[in-house]
Structure formats: C-alpha cells, structure tokens
Amino acid sequence: MIHNQADYAREDDEVHEPLLSEKDETTVDVREASPLPDDLTRDELTLPAPSEPEIARHYTRLSQMNWAIDSGPYPLGSCTMKYNPKFTEDVAADPNAAIHPDRSARSAQGNLELQYRLQEYLGDIGGMDAVTLQPPAGAAGEFTGIAVAKAYHEHHGNDRSEVVIPASAHGTNFATAAMAGYDVVELPSGDDGRVDVEALEAAVGDDTAALMLTNPNTVGLFERDITEIAEIVHDAGGLLYYDGANLNALLGRGRPGDMGFDVMHYNVHKTFATPHGGGGPGAGPVGVVDELAEFLPAPRIREAEEGSGYEPFEPANTIGKVHGFGGNWLVLVKTYAYIARLGDEGLADAAAKAVLNANYLAERIDLDVPYGPFHHEFAATAGDRDAADVAKRMLDFGVHPPTTKWPEMVPEAMLTEPTEIEGQSSLDDLAEAFNLAYADTEEALDAAPNRTAASRIDQVSAARDPRLSWQALDGE
Ligand SMILES: Cc1ncc(COP(=O)(O)O)c(C=O)c1O
C-alpha cells in the first residue's frame, strides 16, 4: 500500500457527510436582527447553527472526499494538473492587488503595468507579436483565437468555411470551430501518430480558414513536419492555430511563433501553475502575429506617451469583449508571479523536467506505450484490460489515475502526464500503482475503488444533469 487519501467507512457505496443544516438549526427573528425596512425582510429565517469545531471538521472532511493535487500525484494527461505554488497565492492575496476594475487608469498604474508586462512575457514565450489577457480559460482562448482568425478573413474578403482539426485533438477544438460557425474537417493521424502530411495536403484548400494543432500533440509526440505543415496551410491562404495546452513541453526551448503559428492560446494553469478553471476563475490569454493584432479583444494595455505610464486601448478592428474588464485579474497576477520567479532558465528547466518525468515513468510501468519518442505525456495502453477499471483500482493505491480511453488512436488509452512537479519517489509510487492495478484480478478491478469516499459515480448523469447546489439535493 502506498498511502491512503482517506480511509472512510462507506455505506451503500457512499460516504454521507450531512449538510450543516442537517446537524443543528436555529431560527432567527429577522425583523429584530435586520436594519432593513420590514417590507424587504421575511419574518424569520432558519439557519444552520454548528459550533466552530463542527464547521472546521465539516469542511475538512468535505475536502478529503475529493482528490487534490495538494494531497497526491494527479497525472491527468492533456488536462495537466500542476501544483499551484503558495507564493503565487500570497502575491494575489496582497491587499494592493485587489483593486476595483473601474478605477481610473491614472490611479491603477501598478495593475496596468503588470498586465502590460505579462502581455510582453507571454508574447516572448510564444513568439507572438500581440497578446490579450481577457479570455477566462483555455477553451475560451481557443474560441477567441478562432473568432480573431475569422474577423481577419472577413476583413480581407476571404470567404472561408472550414477549420481542419486532427482526429487526436482535444474536444474543445471541435467545439470551438463549430461555435465560431465553421464546418469541421477531421484529419486522420498518420501511422506514427502525427499529422499525415499527404492527408493534410488533400484536406486544405480555398475553403480552409485555419488548421488547429497542438505541438507536442495529445500523445506527447512532437510534430516534426511542422514547418512543412505551416507552409501547406499558408500556401492555401489559411491560418495556423496553436492550442497551447502542451506548451509546458516547449517552454524556453521552442516557440509556436517560430514554427509558423499565427495565433495561439496559453492555458496558464497547465503552463504556469495557476489554479485550473474547473468552472471557477481561470485564464486563457491569446497571442497573435502582427497581421491579426488589430482584431484582438479590447482592452489591451500599452505604454502611454513617454513618461506617463500605461493605458488601456481598443485595437482598431476589435472583435469586442470576451470577458469583463481585463479578464480574471488575480489568476493573471499568479501567472505573472510564476513567470517572474522562474525566469528564462527556470521555465526551460520546468519543460525539461516535465519531459524527463514522463519518460522516467513510462520506463517504469509494465503497460505498453505504442508511440514515441514522446515529450511531456504518453499514452500507455491497458491492452485487454479495461482502462477505466485499471484507473479506478489505482485510486485504491493512493494516487489519482491518468486520463482514460482518450485519444482513441490508442486502444484502452491511459494518457499520463506527471508534470515537472513530481519527484522521483512520487513517480515510483505512481509506477507501483500502475503496475499493481494492471496486474490485479478482474474481481478486484470490477469492485474498485474501495478506499474512496464514493465508489463508481454515474459519470454521464454527472456531466449531463449536474446538481451544483445543496438546494438541488435538498429537493430529493
Ligand atoms: C489539448 C487541450 N486543449 C484545450 C483544452 C481546454 O483548456 P481549458 O481546460 O483551460 O478550457 C484542454 C484541456 O484540458 C486540452 O487538454
């Protein structure tokens, strides 16, 4: 046994943590307690009345019922779960960081300078000429980037209706293109798991608005033909979009702009260790080459006339806003703090360790890894075992499992990305969990997980019919 996240006694396959209101309630006379006029208040209100220790224990127990990167390795391929260094939280928690977004530019110079510098950092890292910080997640960055590409084509009178996307791409790429009003042309992968250049040549033409690509791709393979790919797309009059989800493999070593990409998003949680969105605040800045800069969302930040600091401005043919104000400000503060602390060498070192860790782990597991050489992530195959069952069993050995059954080019895929944050002993724990689960009996796999707060959840209902408030539960 490696270590246990939590050792719960489960009943009916579920640990029940009562709502605070189920523990103890008190009724307050609202009229007495509230300074508001009577016609704006109800007569009385029933509120939970737990003691402080009960509250502390309630929330601690709830936090232990879920998996967290702070409690163990979390090698979700493609999703890239990185530990969020606490110093970035400290910087974002500085009271000086929390200023009202409606403050005048003159009184918010520090804030504007940070945004300006972050635009510059990201531009340098990606090899892009102009950056917007506004989109609130990677997927929102994709949508913004493709909307910018569309605005560019329309501005130049190019009537183009298709976006080409490799079959191995993330689902958000297909959703982005469709939501932006494009027809999706799916590109099959070549035998080596990369873009099939001949198939690409056949797929692009006068209708191609863009090719969306991530490099290294979703099984960690570097697209070695990227220069030729860029040429093919550009010769057809299309643009090359870079899905920045895998940029942590390239940091300080290669730049999408230098490979021929015209527009890209940055998943700051995957690359610069800010918290993952998951429905909460995230950020997905977008970078573009000069020709596309005039279409970026407003506001962007620039240096004002010499000596007078920084100012927001609206690009000439902006697509408008994709989020309020400058985006999710405190996430951007964390991004900035992370980049500034690591510096050029630290970022390049993070990329090297991400690649080294993936390769070390792949060597230590008993499962086959069909494609290679890979970079920061790899897709092992569970072969004749069910990848989801192996994954559930891994939870019993004290680690979070990898992404399963995707991409489909690898049968029973276990897409694994340890990231640069894990040390050798934690990689060894992961390898042991992989190997124990993979070698286990069918009965053990069927019954897993046994040592988690909930057993197998109904994932389809969780996705299609989510109940996100206690009131929804209460109504049952
Ligand atoms: C390859 C790829 N592209 C795009 C995204 C979307 O990013 P976000 O989760 O920030 O919306 C993901 C997310 O996991 C991804 O793995």
Side-chain angles (χ1 to χ4, degrees), residues 28 64 116 120 123 158 208 210 215 306 333-334 402 425 430:
V28 181
Q64 289 170 342
Y116 175 78
E120 296 287 296
N158 305 334
T208 306
N215 195 17
E306 213 174 316
V333 171
K334 293 175 203 187
S425 68
L430 269 171

Side-chain angles (χ1 to χ4, degrees), residues 56-67:
R57 287 173 188 162
H58 173 72
Y59 285 111
T60 303
R61 277 198 294 267
L62 282 182
S63 75
Q64 289 170 342
M65 286 167 72
N66 208 347
W67 198 269

Side-chain angles (χ1 to χ4, degrees), residues 77-80 137-140 142 169-170 172-173 214 218 243 245-246 265 267 269-270 276 283 406:
S78 198
C79 298
T80 320
E142 279 176 37
H170 196 254
T172 47
N173 288 190
T214 177
T218 45
D243 173 339
N246 296 330
H265 77 265
N267 295 65
H269 49 276
K270 293 163 190 267
H276 215 115
W406 184 80

Side-chain angles (χ1 to χ4, degrees), residues 445-467:
L445 294 198
D446 279 350
N450 299 299
R451 310 186 71 87
T452 50
S455 178
R456 304 237 179 168
I457 59 162
D458 177 351
Q459 303 192 60
V460 176
S461 301
R464 303 235 163 109
D465 182 22
R467 290 181 213 170

Side-chain angles (χ1 to χ4, degrees), residues 192 194-195 197 222-231:
D192 63 354
R194 298 179 170 83
V195 168
V197 174
F222 190 77
E223 298 287 356
R224 298 184 193 121
D225 298 321
I226 187 60
T227 318
E228 196 184 343
I229 291 171
E231 231 172 75

Side-chain angles (χ1 to χ4, degrees), residues 335-357:
T335 311
Y336 178 83
Y338 182 87
I339 296 173
R341 169 72 67 93
L342 265 68
D344 288 346
E345 277 179 27
L347 292 177
D349 188 49
K353 288 192 176 124
V355 174
L356 178 66
N357 281 359

Side-chain angles (χ1 to χ4, degrees), residues 151-188:
Y152 166 87
H153 283 309
E154 283 173 1
H155 186 78
H156 292 284
N158 305 334
D159 186 16
R160 290 172 179 260
S161 56
E162 293 175 353
V163 170
V164 183
I165 306 175
S168 63
H170 196 254
T172 47
N173 288 190
F174 301 96
T176 288
M179 278 179 68
Y182 285 113
D183 298 330
V184 173
V185 177
E186 194 173 304
L187 197 62

